[in-house]
Amino acid sequence: MLRDVAQLRRAACAAAALALAMPGAAARADSRLDAHYTASVAGLGVGKTDIAVVIGSAEYTSAANGRASGLLRTLLSGEGTLATRGAVLDGRLVPASFSARTAGDDETSAVTMTLEGGDAKDVTAQTSDPGAERVPLTAENRKGVVDPLSALLVPVGGTGAAAAAEACQRTLPIFDGRRRFDLALSYKRIDQVKAKGYAGPAVVCAVAFKAIAGHKVGSPLVKYLGGGREIELTLAPIAGTRLLAPFRLSIANMLGNIVVEATAFESSSTPADLVAQPAVGQAR
């Protein structure tokens, strides 16, 4: 699985390099985010996640891979890889394709789907537990949705600070190919955060989780997240864009809070007037 993500990253980089070599590339600017997260329960490390995002003037890609143990492995799949790509229109991300592979103690799954105009199309979902009882998923549940990776790249309008209350004024209608759920965000505060690659303001949103369809009846994760727990999502800006990405996620738990937090949040932007310039020693 990790090899698949590494190949995806290399392919994305190769595609970006090819685009920069094409005529008209001087008008193109790319922004990148490479983020690394650690997950902990009551201060004890239980997992790691890496995310790589490339945002161009017309297209974007995002890939993630992670592994969990202990309580997180019980609630989530033990390890997985996710990838998405789509178009950039007026600063908004419009997903076109999504894939995911996950493996846990009791189930493995593989999902691919395309998206068109916010609707999920050509969905293929394979699971090692096809007989599990699930809340029925209807055709309506596939409309007006966004994939999990694109959903968490949050656009902010205007020209002011990107880490603003506006980022939290939305509900994210997420479909991962098997499960449909909402994440309703509301503004809480502005924090100062620090990790390798970034130190500065970040907006903290309260999160309300609502399962809609496709999940297993009696799902431990749905019970856990839907039990009125205090959930906070902290979002930090991606350089050169009006987009925010997750910096920290915390979930209140009586045995010790679950926290997923960035240890590195390295974003960069290549100015449009420099993109087409060859590196030193590169043939013209």
Side-chain angles (χ1 to χ4, degrees):
M1 291 183 182
L2 295 179
R3 184 171 62 253
D4 293 341
V5 173
Q7 291 173 344
L8 176 64
R9 287 178 175 172
R10 288 195 293 270
C13 291
L18 178 61
L20 298 184
M22 295 174 63
R28 179 185 178 89
D30 282 340
S31 293
R32 296 186 56 92
L33 170 67
D34 289 288
H36 308 280
Y37 304 84
T38 59
S40 62
V41 177
L44 300 176
V46 293
K48 293 183 178 181
T49 300
D50 298 329
I51 294 179
V53 180
V54 178
I55 301 167
S57 60
E59 296 180 334
Y60 76 97
T61 62
S62 179
N65 70 89
R67 176 173 297 181
S69 61
L71 175 61
L72 278 190
R73 189 179 183 93
T74 301
L75 294 173
L76 305 170
S77 297
E79 58 184 281
T81 62
L82 300 87
T84 190
R85 67 171 53 245
V88 180
L89 298 175
D90 298 325
R92 297 180 300 107
L93 304 184
V94 182
S97 65
F98 172 77
S99 63
R101 291 180 177 272
T102 59
D105 293 335
D106 61 352
E107 183 182 12
T108 60
S109 70
V111 170
T112 61
M113 67 176 176
T114 60
L115 297 100
E116 182 179 334
D119 298 343
K121 309 280 188 178
D122 303 320
V123 179
T124 301
Q126 299 176 335
T127 174
S128 62
D129 190 13
E133 184 181 2
R134 295 180 179 273
V135 176
L137 186 69
T138 69
E140 285 298 315
N141 297 143
R142 300 185 180 192
K143 296 180 179 180
V145 297
V146 65
D147 68 86
L149 287 179
S150 299
L152 294 177
L153 297 173
V154 177
V156 179
T159 58
E166 178 189 341
C168 302
Q169 297 168 356
R170 69 194 69 217
T171 294
L172 306 175
I174 299 174
F175 181 54
D176 67 0
R178 295 194 302 153
R179 293 159 295 213
R180 171 71 176 84
F181 57 94
D182 281 348
L183 297 181
L185 308 186
S186 57
Y187 175 72
K188 291 196 75 173
R189 63 184 182 275
I190 300 293
D191 276 355
Q192 295 293 318
V193 299
K194 184 176 181 179
K196 180 182 178 183
Y198 181 75
V203 59
V204 181
C205 310
V207 181
F209 171 85
K210 180 183 179 181
I212 295 175
H215 54 279
K216 288 183 179 180
V217 174
S219 164
L221 179 60
V222 170
K223 288 183 177 180
Y224 185 82
L225 296 179
R229 296 183 183 277
E230 183 179 358
I231 305 173
E232 289 187 352
L233 175 64
T234 303
L235 300 166
I238 300 176
T241 75
R242 299 291 299 173
L243 295 167
L244 303 174
F247 188 92
R248 186 176 190 267
L249 173 70
S250 66
I251 305 172
N253 181 51
M254 287 190 302
L255 300 179
N257 290 351
I258 297 175
V259 177
V260 181
E261 187 165 16
T263 56
F265 193 91
E266 299 177 287
S267 65
S268 60
S269 179
T270 304
D273 58 350
L274 296 179
V275 168
Q277 299 299 319
V280 176
Q282 180 178 336
R284 293 180 179 267

